[in-house]
Amino acid sequence: SLYFIVYTTSMSGTNQQVVSTIGYLLSKYEQTAADGLEKIVTLSFKPQVLDKNIEEMATTHFADVFVSESQAVDALLSIFDDQKKVSSTDKDKHKPRNQHSNTNVPLAFRACLSLLNGCVAPASRLAFARNLCTPQFTNMLRRTLQAIRENQMEDTLGALSLLTVIVEGYPSLIMGKFRLNHFLDLGVFNSLTSRNSAIRVHRCKCLTAWALSSNHETNRRTILTHGYLTALTEDVAELLCPARALSDPTMNIDLSTLRDVVNRAVQIIQDGFLGPASGLSLSQKRELLMGQKNVIKALSKWLTPLPGIVTAIDGDSAQTSIVTTVSGLMRSLVMQLREETSDYLLSRQLASVSTNGNAQDAGVNYMPNFTLFSLLLSLIHI
């Protein structure tokens, strides 16, 4: 209409780009919607700006203007509503979206990620993060991560990547929607087959984000969540497993990503669990390890990383540095958690009460230095 022409011509260039993109996203044709998503990914690139220029840039930068328009955000999130349609082929790629499945879901996740990372103003980024933490959207994330399907692997990876960024920046928002113990029960964190093991490094990145967020209390609660340390240490052990070659096509590991994941996991164990800043008492640490006995077994596997992987990551000295670091973690664990044998009688008495007088159960569950005994047993079987 004439009104629309006058309205759009009076806009700034960025506003016109946003309005145009909305039109693409709302198109009934899937390929046209895909073009709109590609525009978002391309135009959301975050420029280098000085702090004093943030407010000015936020009024002209595409990502900030896009997330400030509720119609634009709604149009983007509507892409996720078409996941259960009939799939399209090259011959019918220009059919209306309501006639076939929306294969744009992975690209829509990339667009959301680009906007979240591309916002110049912190307020814009927070506002968009809130839109991504609504019950409707988080339920969609939960459904996507509920099971691993070969034909929807890109959807799963996109959901994990987006969730990782949200957790790192706004843990309090997402913790209200995802309880971590329920999160760990999702299918994406269950055992993987060799055909879908490529997802391991991505879910490991997501796991580290929960314990290295900007909120210390969230980090502490994450460490205390039953099963978290087991999932993290076992994934890292598998990534460094000598039995898996770097060239394994099922893994498809980016070396810089692998380096980052390993370093972050070491930081979590070293600072978040063993370090004084963790806020965990010795009894809490012992209880965690007693309740998750596979943690020690997995940590011991970190001592035997695949030389080809670590050399490719950090050079010839990398294997030594990884082994040295993990050895230091083991030493710290021993020094902190060792118990005096003089407390054995008292432990037996307390155990006898808690096990209704069953001395055999008491001896197994309360033997002094049982945690260290488990560690020694794991090292023997490396």
Side-chain angles (χ1 to χ4, degrees):
S1 66
L2 178 62
Y3 171 79
F4 180 78
I5 295 174
V6 173
Y7 174 69
T8 55
T9 53
S10 65
M11 293 180 181
S12 68
T14 303
N15 285 335
Q16 289 186 30
Q17 288 177 327
V18 170
V19 171
S20 171
T21 303
I22 294 175
Y24 276 88
L25 297 177
L26 294 178
S27 171
K28 64 180 181 179
Y29 298 107
E30 190 170 23
Q31 183 57 49
T32 305
D35 293 340
L37 294 171
E38 290 284 4
K39 286 183 64 176
I40 293 175
V41 173
T42 302
L43 296 173
S44 295
F45 181 78
K46 187 174 183 177
Q48 294 292 328
V49 294
L50 299 175
D51 289 344
K52 62 181 179 181
N53 294 332
I54 286 181
E55 292 185 7
E56 179 182 349
M57 284 293 298
T59 63
T60 59
H61 184 52
F62 177 86
D64 294 80
V65 175
F66 187 97
V67 301
S68 68
E69 294 288 341
S70 59
Q71 289 181 328
V73 174
D74 291 343
L76 172 59
L77 299 186
S78 70
I79 299 292
F80 295 99
D81 294 337
D82 301 323
Q83 297 187 61
K84 297 183 180 180
K85 312 291 184 182
V86 183
S87 63
S88 63
T89 64
D90 290 336
K91 293 181 179 179
D92 63 4
K93 66 180 180 180
H94 292 296
K95 282 187 176 182
R97 277 194 285 174
N98 60 7
Q99 293 187 22
H100 52 67
S101 77
N102 187 359
T103 57
N104 287 333
V105 171
L107 187 53
F109 277 125
R110 280 184 57 203
C112 290
L113 195 58
S114 298
L115 288 168
L116 202 57
N117 289 330
C119 287
V120 172
S124 300
R125 197 168 189 260
L126 174 60
F128 187 56
R130 290 185 185 279
N131 280 301
L132 298 180
C133 290
T134 60
Q136 181 179 2
F137 193 82
T138 53
N139 286 337
M140 184 277 298
L141 280 178
R142 187 178 286 106
R143 288 195 303 271
T144 304
L145 299 174
Q146 187 63 51
I148 302 176
R149 301 179 179 87
E150 294 296 328
N151 62 343
Q152 292 183 340
M153 187 63 71
E154 290 187 5
D155 296 25
T156 304
L157 296 179
L160 273 176
S161 298
L162 182 61
L163 184 60
T164 299
V165 173
I166 296 175
V167 169
E168 287 177 335
Y170 307 101
S172 58
L173 284 180
I174 199 66
M175 284 293 280
K177 311 298 179 183
F178 275 109
R179 290 187 60 181
L180 187 58
N181 57 334
H182 295 164
F183 177 76
L184 292 173
D185 289 335
L186 295 175
V188 73
F189 287 99
N190 292 336
S191 58
L192 299 175
T193 66
S194 59
R195 295 185 62 186
N196 54 35
S197 59
I199 204 172
R200 190 181 303 279
V201 70
H202 296 275
R203 77 178 189 182
C204 199
K205 285 178 63 177
C206 192
L207 283 171
T208 59
W210 286 96
L212 293 175
S213 72
S214 56
N215 187 297
H216 176 74
E217 181 57 27
T218 297
N219 301 341
R220 182 176 176 276
R221 288 167 57 190
T222 296
I223 297 293
L224 289 172
T225 299
H226 181 74
Y228 173 79
L229 287 178
T230 300
L232 177 65
T233 53
E234 288 184 342
D235 267 358
V236 173
E238 181 65 20
L239 291 173
L240 296 174
C241 180
R244 188 171 298 285
L246 183 62
S247 59
D248 186 343
T250 66
M251 294 298 286
N252 191 27
I253 300 175
D254 175 74
L255 293 179
S256 62
T257 300
L258 179 58
R259 181 198 305 119
D260 180 62
V261 165
V262 172
N263 289 339
R264 286 160 65 92
V266 168
Q267 182 183 347
I268 289 171
I269 302 298
Q270 187 170 269
D271 301 329
F273 178 60
L274 293 174
S278 67
L280 302 178
S281 65
L282 293 180
S283 60
Q284 285 178 312
K285 295 176 183 179
R286 290 194 188 100
E287 184 178 350
L288 277 173
L289 293 179
M290 288 292 291
Q292 303 178 67
K293 295 184 175 64
N294 282 342
V295 171
I296 292 178
K297 183 178 179 181
L299 275 176
S300 66
K301 293 181 180 179
W302 291 19
L303 290 168
T304 56
L306 177 63
I309 286 183
V310 293
T311 301
I313 294 175
D314 285 327
D316 294 337
S317 63
Q319 185 178 8
T320 302
S321 64
I322 289 178
V323 172
T324 301
T325 300
V326 177
S327 298
L329 293 179
M330 296 293 194
R331 189 179 301 110
S332 177
L333 189 150
V334 169
M335 296 304 295
Q336 287 192 40
L337 303 185
R338 64 187 180 90
E339 302 170 271
E340 296 295 335
T341 54
S342 59
D343 295 332
Y344 181 56
L345 179 60
L346 177 61
S347 298
R348 294 273 297 187
Q349 291 173 346
L350 293 175
S352 180
V353 173
S354 63
T355 56
N356 296 321
N358 191 323
Q360 184 175 0
D361 287 345
V364 171
N365 294 326
Y366 287 87
M367 69 171 286
N369 294 315
F370 182 78
T371 302
L372 303 188
F373 172 76
S374 301
L375 174 58
L376 179 61
L377 196 61
S378 298
L379 293 175
I380 290 174
H381 289 92
I382 289 182

